[in-house]
Amino acid sequence: MAFWDASTIGQNLQGRASVAAQSGAILVINSGSSSVKFALFAAHQQLPRLNSGALEQIGLVHGRFYLKDSTGKTLFEQEPVLENHKAALKLLIKAVKQQLAGRPLCAVGHRVVHGGADCDCPLPMTRELETRLQWLIPLAPLHLPHNLAGLAAVRELQPDLPQIACFDTAFHHSLPRIAKLTTLPREFQDAGIQRYGFHGLSYEYVVDALRKDGVDVEHERIVVAHLGNGASLCALRNGRSVETTMGFSTLAGLMMGTRSGDVDPGAVLHLLTAKGMSADEVQKLLYERSGLHGVSGISSDMRELLSRRDDPAAREAIDLFCYRARQHLGALTTALGGLDRFVFTGGMGANAPEIRSRICEGLSYLGITLDSKANGAGAKTISAPGAALTVQALLSDEEYMIARHVLRVTTGQLAKVEA
């Protein structure tokens, strides 16, 4: 059975949801170009994390496969040959079943970077949905092919296992129409060229975490900065996205590890015409050779650049990243009419106090003043006592959000079947 129709989905989810109550598990997968990150959660309301890990260097001579328990202790680390995503996932599913020791694997949730204009919530994979996602590959060429490869590999290995696609764009469906528009002629907007926004699973987790901490997200004006190898900012009102720095593609907005961020379109035209570069060459330049790596000529990893800050090129790349982040933060405050809370997340945002400090420099006019000791110690709240605006650093958990969506979808499908 390669794909499911609606009735088959309901039947599979009904059976597996009833088994889930007997301590089954949900597998969460994030498939990249040469890696598969994963996490395993117990399939009940609290969703405790059981294991996590990754299969890395897929397609290379020496792969890497490691598994950690819920405390972060390494259970094993291997160096298998991982020819492709199917081989990697075959090894993963075998290891997961060994870890579950006879307990059922109920469903798989996938991070899917782009869902297009029609996918505003997590969806079970169907033939129609997979076809629609194939058409979206040009909008996220670095991510979507590998997301779909993960879905296809699991389907081939275990065709009866329900798979749920969770979209990074879905959170931004709340963007006002004016924020979705580009300045191209209207017929292009009608053809799907609009601003979508990304990193939605991360932003959704932050909103949920703030709400659990007692923050009045429905009334505060909040900006969240997701800073990692990919980077973006999002303005939140009533806990919903009203503006974000990424737009039609994952290229726009902030400068990133290897991606350019905003570039004058005239510069792109110049590369195509005066410099004679092909469209493929320009795409590779913007997605893979720019950003921190391109400006520094050293690395796309901010940790390495910080360790080499005495190098003028490394220092300039750091300066430019922080400068652009300040620019975009100021722009997002206009969409909110002010700012009450600024939250850092993502691998860099949650773990790089120097970058947080550098971004917040000179922003006292917004009410941003950091407590240097709290920031350096990695405290959750890093703004100075009595500051007009709260600044926080939180590590988001996109895998948990995906597992929660999978649980909700399977529970909803079960309710429909039983009705």
Side-chain angles (χ1 to χ4, degrees), residues 288-300:
E288 302 177 36
R289 295 176 49 210
S290 298
L292 291 172
H293 188 275
V295 173
S296 70
I298 297 171
S299 176
S300 62

Side-chain angles (χ1 to χ4, degrees), residues 3 15 30 38 52 96 99 105 116 118 173 176 192 199-200 202-203 229 232 246-247 267 270 316 332 354 358 391 411:
F3 294 87
N30 183 356
F38 65 89
S52 61
V96 164
Q99 290 295 313
L105 182 59
D118 299 321
H173 274 249
H199 293 132
S202 176
Y203 293 130
N229 190 52
S232 68
M246 280 185 174
H270 179 77
E316 190 165 61
L332 290 183
E354 181 174 341
R358 293 282 299 277
V391 183
T411 301

Side-chain angles (χ1 to χ4, degrees), residues 60-308:
L60 302 179
V61 176
H62 297 292
R64 180 175 179 240
F65 178 23
Y66 66 87
L67 181 71
K68 297 182 179 181
D69 66 15
S70 59
T71 68
K73 178 183 176 181
T74 299
L75 299 175
F76 68 77
E77 187 167 353
Q78 304 172 351
E79 293 187 358
V81 176
L82 303 171
E83 295 180 4
N84 49 41
H85 282 75
K86 180 182 175 181
L89 287 164
K90 183 177 181 179
L91 190 60
L92 171 59
I93 290 174
K94 180 180 178 181
V96 164
K97 288 183 175 180
Q98 290 174 344
Q99 290 295 313
L100 290 176
R103 293 192 300 172
L105 182 59
C106 305
V108 179
H110 294 262
R111 179 194 179 209
V112 179
V113 167
H114 210 309
D118 299 321
C119 295
D120 60 354
C121 63
L123 295 171
M125 281 305 299
T126 62
R127 183 186 299 276
E128 179 186 8
L129 179 57
E130 184 157 345
T131 299
R132 193 192 320 165
L133 294 177
Q134 292 283 353
W135 283 101
L136 295 175
I137 286 175
L139 307 191
L142 284 190
H143 301 86
L144 204 46
H146 311 300
N147 300 158
L148 291 172
L151 284 155
V154 172
R155 183 183 67 240
E156 186 173 347
L157 292 165
Q158 286 212 217
D160 64 332
L161 189 61
Q163 299 191 76
I164 310 299
C166 300
F167 306 104
D168 254 335
T169 50
F171 183 75
H172 299 289
H173 274 249
S174 59
L175 286 172
R177 174 171 170 77
I178 199 71
K180 292 180 180 180
L181 291 173
T182 72
T183 53
L184 295 175
R186 186 173 295 273
E187 63 263 27
F188 292 97
Q189 176 79 19
D190 295 339
I193 299 181
Q194 64 175 60
R195 299 184 68 248
Y196 291 97
F198 298 88
H199 293 132
L201 291 162
S202 176
Y203 293 130
E204 186 178 10
Y205 179 88
V206 170
V207 170
D208 187 62
L210 292 175
R211 189 176 281 120
K212 287 178 179 177
D213 282 346
V215 175
D216 188 358
V217 297
E218 278 68 39
H219 292 92
E220 285 197 10
R221 299 163 297 182
I222 303 170
V223 170
V224 182
H226 177 102
L227 307 180
N229 190 52
S232 68
L233 277 74
C234 179
L236 303 167
R237 185 186 292 121
N238 300 320
R240 306 180 73 189
S241 174
V242 297
E243 184 55 274
T244 186
T245 55
M246 280 185 174
F248 171 72
S249 73
T250 58
L251 271 178
L254 295 179
M255 125 189 229
M256 301 171 231
T258 62
R259 282 172 268 171
S260 63
D262 287 344
V263 174
D264 185 334
V268 177
L269 292 175
H270 179 77
L271 296 174
L272 291 167
T273 55
K275 295 295 184 182
M277 294 179 70
S278 68
D280 286 345
E281 288 173 329
V282 172
Q283 177 173 291
K284 188 175 181 68
L285 172 69
L286 297 177
Y287 276 100
E288 302 177 36
R289 295 176 49 210
S290 298
L292 291 172
H293 188 275
V295 173
S296 70
I298 297 171
S299 176
S300 62
D301 191 327
M302 182 62 82
R303 291 168 297 187
E304 183 171 353
L305 296 179
L306 288 170
S307 72
R308 298 176 62 173

